[in-house]
Amino acid sequence: MLILWKVFLIGLVTAKPQFNSVNKYDAHGNLCPLRTRTGNLCPQLCVSDVQLCPSGLGDDGCPDGQHLCIDGSCSGACGDIPARKNPCGCSFQYPPEQSKDLKPCMAFPVVTIDQYDPNNIGKTTEFCSDKFNISGEIPFWGQWSATQKLPENATVDNGRRFWSGSECPSAPKYRYTYDEPLWIGVFSCVGAEALILLLWVSYKFLRENSVRRMRHRESGFKAATAKTMAPAAADVSDKLEGKAQSLDDESKTSKQSSSESQDDEPVLQIKGFKNDFLGWIGFISVLLVSVGWIVWIGFWIGDYYGTLGAEPDTLSHYNSVLLDETIIPIWIFAVCWLVVCCQFQKRIRNFFRIECLPSEGTYVQIERELQEIKVGVKASKLVAFAKRVEEGFSRLTRANFHVQTCKIERTPHTKRRYFNYMCTQYVFNDATSQYAPYNFDLGTTNAQLRQHADGLTSDEAQLRFELIGRNFIAVDAPNYLMGFVYEVSTFFYLYQIMVMWIYWYWNYYIVGLVSFGIIMVSAIVKVVVKVRSEKRVKRMAEHEEECRILRDGQWQTLSTIDLVPGDVFKIEAGAHVPCDAAVLGGNIVVDESTLSGEPLPLKKVPVRNDQGTFDKNGSSKINTLFAGTTATQAMPTTASDGSVSEPLGLCLDTGTHTLKGNLVKEILFPQPISFIFDEQLRLVFGILILYAIIIFVLAMVFYETQPSAAFIYAIFSMSQLISPLLPAALVMGQSVAASRLKKKGIYCVNLPRITMAGKVSLFCFDKTGTLTKEGLEFYGGLCVRNMEDRIGTLEFDPFIESFDALPNHMRSAAATCHGVAEVEGGLRIGNPVDLEMFATTKGQISKNPTPGALDTISVENLSLDIVKRFEFIHSRASMSVAVRDPRDGHIHVYVKGSFEKVKEHLDSTTVPDDYLYAANRMARQGGYVLAVGHRDLGDISVDEMEHWTRDDMENGSELVGFIVFKNMLKEDTPQAIAKLKRGSTRTIMITGDTALTGVFIGKQAGLMNEAATVYLGDIDKSGDISWIDVDREVNVDQSVVDQVIDGSADGDIELAMTGKAFNYLIEQDQIRNYILYTRVFARMLPADKLTCIRYHMERGITAMCGDGGNDTAALRTAHAGIALANNEASIVSPFSSSNHSIESCVELLIQGRSALASSLAGYMYLICYGQTMTVLKTVSFYFSISPNQNIWIYIDAFINTTLSLCVSYSGPAKRLSKYRPTAQILGPQMLTSAMGTVFINYAFVAGAFGWLYSKQWFRCNEFDSGDLDIAKWWLLADNYETVILAIVSLFQFANNAMVVNFGYLFRRRWYRNYPLLFLWAVYISINSIILLADPNWLSCRFRINCGSKSVLADKYDLHPDFYIEEYGNPIQNNIIPTGSRYELWGICIGNMVATILWQLLVALYPVHSLTRKKRPLRRLQVKL
């Protein structure tokens, strides 16, 4: 609509206002009377002899010893004044012969002419002749044949006199001959560059012919594409592509790089290049030409200001119009050249290299396609169209690829070729002609890893070091200077800086310097935020210290950088773990809070010497040390034979192959996330560009008489439409929110995720340690009757609450079957369940265990030796120990774990029929139920068990009973869940605990109502999914569950499912039907949690909260993952909280919504700024006026800059609203708010000018642009039209910030934003003083309500003591009468009130709320 309005104006107007004739009619419709005018109104008088000048205006008017020179001044030496300074030449470059002997008289003094008619020059010259006693007839310049009648007393015969000055005819347009040395030099440079480029392209074409032939032979060849982990044959395309492969032929222990998810590995396109001397010449020539364009523009700007010669416009033959017509095409060509260089800046260097095979080049160009992760609501057709256009352009220019050029280096000994990319070393394999990250396979079983206990030789280590690279994650975090250079080299800043050249030209340099300062401030803000974030990641990623490494059978002190896979190193207490390593010996405790968010230290045990599968990310985590963690304790252990096992580690992976390295890479090189906000922002920029083009056309139409001036004015308008503060404003809300979160103990490593958190509609929670307390409370035990002799019916005894009353084997199992360890200082660490269970036994862990025992437990005056232990693993959900009991000398096996899993290993004859019923009954009451089994191995030696597998030891155990703990909620969990639900956020539990316990906790926490009916899905014996009513314990038909999903079921019904049911539904491709209707996901493995999160992410913005550990993958994947971790530097997820409370989740959403609302408010303010500015500019074009440059400085440097920053500082709301802020900048709410504000401002500008044209004091005193050269913009402010336009616009600029400050759903109420409120009041007060006060220093600086000193003294009896430049309009002032000032002030206040009421009544509250109810947007409909 705005664009159509502008197009309409194009057809309405030309160079002057069309709705009336300037100064023709007064306010009553009468013809305007001729005015009395004072000033230099007499034209220049030119004479052939200065003796013909009037008395006092010739030589006789000069001081003694001086003469009248040809420029009209007096001087003692006139010979150095060039002829072009003679005003009698009328600015002709080649004046006619008849004018060459003419000389000017002195300028006539100021005169006052009654009823002055600028269109009747004859009357003016007649008045001047009478005034200064000039007799005779004087023709006008150019009337060479007219009769000359000299005064009777003339002393000169045949003298000639002519009126010139303002009566000079238009001088012919002067053109360059282009044989000037300057242009010859320019054309030579441009021609040389064109020749260099042509020769290089031809030469490059011939040199790369062989590569093209190979491509032609390879059918279907595209670009050099390789997936880093994908195997491929060594064919022609492989050689061209340089696909990433491992070096399997180099070593039997080598392997391809591994990761948690192969699908996450990047797809690379690799091309080889090598330098060429001619290419160097071509590249340097491009650099020189790029700099040359800037210098060339500065050269002509210097000529404009006269810095290159004695006076301005020297190079353009002293013709300002010709200078304009020169610099504009230079500027256009420079912009085009630099835009192309900017677009291809990552590729341009390789364009001037010769492409070759990657195996032959000295450089490789690596391209990685950036696949955007789209987040948010479905895009509209218009946004989708804009996205397709952008994607088409990106494919055409390959802008959707991350491009990096890496130098090929060679290893020092084997001379292998390699390069470093994304902190990873890629090595060339001669056998496959491909590059790939290199890694070593040390084995897949525990026994195979044990075989490497002797370490490496120096030669082996050297080879591996060259292939794998340094054990160091080098993060290239730029300093502030380089970060600034990278930032301003983007297209947005290139556009802004090139516009600044136009500002600096044309005597607009003060405004240009202010705008340039704003651009630099904007860039600095972004750079500081970005560099600080990268430096923080650098501190977390980079680490080096000394360690003891076993090489050649000797312990050597080396740097951790030298570690390679296969190295054996000593683990020391207090040291950082330098790599991912398997524990070979010792008793080790580590702090993993920085990596996984796990709040408690963890005990790590040595790898067993058996054939068990080793999986460092799965079942073998208990045997694995991870890089980036800290060893808080490392103690040797003593074996039964007296041998001491030192705390040793076997290096498995280094650098970016480690878990820490993968996390760092995800932070440093993330896949771009396209939020709906970002999607629509692209379209908005497209609309603004189109709008800017319309403004450009308007300027060209309005100023059609001077195209060069029109072009420059149009560039001014385009630059102000898209504010340079826009990028900074969009990130400012995120930065402010991050600092506020930090004060709350919540740390963020990914700023864009903050605004994403503002749209979270699904919040998933782990249970234990997240919703519930980290520790559990012992509740009691349920044991099998007659357990000792197994006589009688198998059934359970009554529930026993006292631990001391439990049977011996239950107490012994509780004392020994756990992973609790003591660190220095007596602190116990381990699983919270184990900690509570062991504390209940009142047992003690001996600091000096019996030789041969893993641990010795003292309990009930007994010393129980643990001789073998299988740690807890998620896949089995159980653990077991073998314990020697001194009472009978037997070894007893105790098994503890999930009652479902433990049952699989029990002797079925020892299991009561109501086993599951009893366990489920206790779980339904919120119990954390563990089954305990026992097996008496008799008096056997430990050596007999050495090679036993886990199944060998556990199978055939007899059921002892259940040991039950209460999982107590955190005190603030129900309150926080209630807040989230009031904030329209669906809460979900994803837990590894039993489903019944999850349901119980879910009801206690408020995830679902206490009275809700819960249907639990699980897999039955037939392998199908079945549903039961948890409370009534009856089966539920599938059709009833289907009614819950389609919304036709009666009552409050919730669904829950086990991990087995979840995976079954995935296999049946039905999980998407259930995902939003399931409240509790139970018995979920870490991989299941990750998958569950991904399915939720398909349906809406999803957050995940957990305490780290087995939640790591899910936390990292969710749109907004928050880990309840102790350490600020945790990189397990985008957010980490040191407050172990889910109130942190509430705070994250509050701050996220506030940041999103603030970003949108800042965006809307700057859009309104641009629209107000274009109105100001358009009206200026229409009337050919321009506010004083101090007005522009006041607007851009003060109002716009300070208020746009203050908008972002609005505090967050105290509580979550039931609504989420819109993320659609083209949504109905934003459009209603912005468009309403813009059109109201338009209407009041039009109304103000309507009011102005109704005033008698204005009519007949209108500004006539025909009297001035519009290129002299500093003369265009001295009129009433500028006063009205400037005053109304100033109030609008200040009030726009107040308009966007309203809205208390997501931010504090408007009056709580104290900085904005203060500045708004200050600016409104200043604007009011400028308008309402009598002429003063401030108003005169702005050329508003002021006038020339003589007018102020004569008409207003004012005698200011400050300098005032003479006014350029006929009445010498633009002072508005006092009564009319208050009327205009009332219009401005009315404008403010109208926009505020629109925002409050329509955009935000009553009308918007009613519309939201009547016509709701299509949003995700879920049960909260």
Side-chain angles (χ1 to χ4, degrees), residues 304-434:
Y304 175 84
Y305 289 103
T307 58
L308 301 181
E311 51 192 305
D313 306 338
T314 303
L315 301 178
S316 58
H317 302 294
Y318 308 100
N319 186 295
S320 60
V321 175
L322 182 59
L323 180 59
D324 292 345
E325 295 174 350
T326 302
I327 199 169
I328 288 173
I330 292 175
W331 183 85
I332 293 174
F333 279 117
V335 168
C336 294
W337 177 273
L338 294 175
V339 165
V340 172
C341 291
C342 180
Q343 179 67 32
F344 299 101
Q345 59 181 301
K346 297 292 186 179
R347 305 174 187 270
I348 195 168
R349 181 64 189 94
N350 289 330
F351 174 77
F352 290 99
R353 290 183 173 125
I354 300 298
E355 184 180 355
C356 59
L357 298 179
S359 60
E360 300 174 356
T362 53
Y363 296 88
V364 288
Q365 176 179 289
I366 306 166
E367 299 183 22
R368 175 171 58 96
E369 186 173 8
L370 302 176
Q371 298 287 351
E372 283 189 334
I373 303 172
K374 295 180 174 58
V375 177
V377 298
K378 184 178 179 181
S380 65
K381 292 183 179 179
L382 188 59
V383 174
F385 172 76
K387 181 63 178 176
R388 287 195 298 272
V389 171
E390 183 199 17
E391 289 176 348
F393 176 79
S394 296
R395 285 193 297 270
L396 181 64
T397 62
R398 298 182 68 81
N400 59 328
F401 281 81
H402 173 269
V403 181
Q404 182 175 334
T405 298
C406 300
K407 182 177 176 57
I408 297 293
E409 300 181 59
R410 288 186 179 271
T411 58
H413 292 84
T414 60
K415 304 301 179 183
R416 287 193 173 275
R417 303 164 65 86
Y418 75 93
F419 62 84
N420 288 299
Y421 176 69
M422 292 175 60
C423 305
T424 303
Q425 179 169 297
Y426 285 70
V427 184
F428 187 74
N429 184 351
D430 293 324
T432 59
S433 300
Q434 297 163 2

Side-chain angles (χ1 to χ4, degrees), residues 75-374:
S75 176
C78 298
D80 295 334
I81 299 176
R84 67 180 180 284
K85 291 290 187 178
N86 188 347
C88 296
C90 281
S91 301
F92 277 59
Q93 186 175 7
Y94 304 104
E97 289 294 329
Q98 295 89 335
S99 68
K100 290 184 176 180
D101 63 336
L102 296 180
K103 307 173 184 63
C105 298
M106 286 185 181
F108 288 96
V110 172
V111 297
T112 300
I113 303 178
D114 295 329
Q115 296 184 338
Y116 174 73
D117 184 359
N119 298 317
N120 191 344
I121 188 62
K123 184 177 179 180
T124 301
T125 55
E126 181 180 346
F127 173 85
C128 294
S129 297
D130 294 341
K131 177 74 175 177
F132 297 102
N133 300 317
I134 303 174
S135 59
E137 296 182 2
I138 303 177
F140 292 105
W141 194 95
Q143 298 175 350
W144 311 120
S145 59
T147 303
Q148 291 275 354
K149 186 176 181 180
L150 299 177
E152 295 179 357
N153 60 349
T155 59
V156 178
D157 296 331
N158 299 322
R160 296 185 303 146
R161 298 180 299 174
F162 296 94
W163 294 110
S164 65
S166 60
E167 302 312 313
C168 283
S170 298
K173 290 186 176 181
Y174 301 118
R175 297 291 180 229
Y176 300 108
T177 61
Y178 297 110
D179 59 359
E180 295 93 341
L182 177 69
W183 288 109
I184 292 175
V186 170
F187 292 148
S188 298
C189 293
V190 173
E193 177 62 16
L195 181 61
I196 289 172
L197 292 178
L198 180 62
L199 291 174
W200 170 250
V201 170
S202 302
Y203 175 74
K204 181 180 175 71
F205 180 83
L206 295 174
R207 287 287 306 274
E208 295 176 353
N209 194 38
S210 60
V211 175
R212 284 193 303 276
R213 284 201 303 269
M214 293 181 69
R215 287 177 176 168
H216 182 70
R217 290 198 303 268
E218 186 65 27
S219 60
F221 180 83
K222 297 180 180 179
T225 307
K227 191 172 185 188
T228 57
M229 299 303 116
D235 55 10
V236 175
S237 63
D238 291 339
K239 293 180 180 179
L240 285 167
E241 295 169 3
K243 293 184 178 179
Q245 288 288 315
S246 66
L247 309 180
D248 293 328
D249 56 322
E250 292 297 326
S251 171
K252 293 181 180 180
T253 61
S254 65
K255 68 169 186 175
Q256 296 178 355
S257 297
S258 61
S259 68
E260 291 184 34
S261 175
Q262 180 173 316
D263 293 337
D264 294 336
E265 291 298 328
V267 176
L268 305 181
Q269 299 182 3
I270 304 175
K271 293 181 180 179
F273 291 91
K274 52 188 175 183
N275 284 328
D276 188 273
F277 179 73
L278 293 180
W280 269 110
I281 295 176
F283 179 66
I284 293 173
S285 71
V286 169
L287 294 180
L288 292 176
V289 169
S290 300
V291 175
W293 280 117
I294 302 298
V295 173
W296 190 228
I297 294 174
F299 190 79
W300 287 97
I301 291 177
D303 183 52
Y304 175 84
Y305 289 103
T307 58
L308 301 181
E311 51 192 305
D313 306 338
T314 303
L315 301 178
S316 58
H317 302 294
Y318 308 100
N319 186 295
S320 60
V321 175
L322 182 59
L323 180 59
D324 292 345
E325 295 174 350
T326 302
I327 199 169
I328 288 173
I330 292 175
W331 183 85
I332 293 174
F333 279 117
V335 168
C336 294
W337 177 273
L338 294 175
V339 165
V340 172
C341 291
C342 180
Q343 179 67 32
F344 299 101
Q345 59 181 301
K346 297 292 186 179
R347 305 174 187 270
I348 195 168
R349 181 64 189 94
N350 289 330
F351 174 77
F352 290 99
R353 290 183 173 125
I354 300 298
E355 184 180 355
C356 59
L357 298 179
S359 60
E360 300 174 356
T362 53
Y363 296 88
V364 288
Q365 176 179 289
I366 306 166
E367 299 183 22
R368 175 171 58 96
E369 186 173 8
L370 302 176
Q371 298 287 351
E372 283 189 334
I373 303 172
K374 295 180 174 58

Side-chain angles (χ1 to χ4, degrees), residues 666-700:
E666 288 182 13
I667 295 173
L668 292 176
F669 312 104
Q671 285 289 77
I673 296 178
S674 181
F675 200 28
I676 185 63
F677 179 90
D678 306 300
E679 291 283 320
Q680 294 188 350
L681 188 61
R682 297 184 179 99
L683 179 59
V684 169
F685 273 114
I687 293 173
L688 290 178
I689 291 171
L690 180 59
Y691 190 25
I693 294 173
I694 298 297
I695 297 297
F696 182 90
V697 174
L698 276 176
M700 299 299 291

Side-chain angles (χ1 to χ4, degrees), residues 1013 1015 1027 1029 1032 1035-1050 1053 1055 1074:
T1013 299
Y1015 296 161
W1027 300 86
D1029 186 320
R1032 295 189 297 155
N1035 290 330
V1036 178
D1037 190 74
Q1038 180 65 45
S1039 60
V1040 178
V1041 177
D1042 293 340
Q1043 291 178 0
V1044 175
I1045 294 174
D1046 62 28
S1048 60
D1050 296 329
I1053 301 175
L1055 298 183
Y1074 293 84

Side-chain angles (χ1 to χ4, degrees), residues 22-41:
V22 177
N23 292 325
K24 187 173 183 180
Y25 299 101
D26 63 14
H28 305 295
N30 302 318
L31 289 172
C32 289
L34 295 176
R35 297 170 294 182
T36 298
R37 184 168 177 180
T38 301
N40 299 105
L41 304 179

